[in-house]
Amino acid sequence: MTIDKARASRAIREFLVALGVDPGESKETEETPDRVADTWARDLLDGYAMDPRTILDPVATFESDVVVVTGLAFHGVCAHHLLPFHGVAHVAYRPAGLVTGLSCLGRLVDCFAHRLTLQERIAKEVTEALALHLRAPGAACVLEARHTCMIARGTRQAAARVVASSFAGTFEGGPDRELFANAWNRATIHELPGDVP
Ligand code: ZN
C-alpha cells in the first residue's frame, strides 16, 4: 500500500474548507492538514504495512502451557465514521511447539487494529494469525473498547463499551476457555484507559 502524505494533507485541507473552516486562517490550524496526514499514516493506518507472520516470529519450544496476556491497550479507527476507539485486549493461545515473545501479542493486535476495520474482525484476525503462524491448536481474543462514534453522536452513550471476542479450537469450551475467562475477568477490564476511578 502506498501512502501519499502530500495528497492526504491537501484532502484534509479541502475537507475542512468544505465544512466551512479554512485551516490557513489561523496560526493554530495552518499546520493541521500536515499533522493529520502524518498521524493517519504513522499511527492510525500503519497496520496495513505490518505483517503478522513477521510480528509473531515463532520460536520452537517444548513447553505447551497456555499463554494468556491481559490488559493490552490498543486503539483503532471505526470504519463507519472514521472516529477513534480505544480499549484493552486480552489474548491467549495454546502453543504446540511454537511460541512468540509476549510483547509480540500487543503488536499483533495493533497490526489488525490500525486499519479501517471492525472490532469483531480484529478479534477474529488475531486468533486466526495465532492458529496459522504458531500452529496453535487453540487461540482466543477479547477486545473491550469505547467508541467515539457512540460518545459524540447518535444517542451519546458515553459509558457504553463494545466487547468483541473470538474463541478458536481448544478455547471454544472446556478448561482452556475457563482459564482464559478467569484471567480476563480478574484483569482490570472494568477500567478502560480514560476511566475515572
Ligand atoms: Zn463508528
Side-chain angles (χ1 to χ4, degrees), residues 86 145-162 190 192-196:
H86 69 279
R146 188 163 287 156
H147 289 242
T148 306
C149 63
M150 291 182 76
I151 295 169
R153 52 172 293 290
T155 51
R156 298 176 198 255
Q157 295 291 341
R161 63 189 61 191
V162 178
H190 304 299
L192 293 187
D195 273 356
V196 179

Side-chain angles (χ1 to χ4, degrees), residues 77-83 85 147-150 153:
V77 175
C78 98
H80 296 144
H81 303 96
L82 298 188
L83 288 171
F85 57 88
H147 289 242
T148 306
C149 63
M150 291 182 76
R153 52 172 293 290

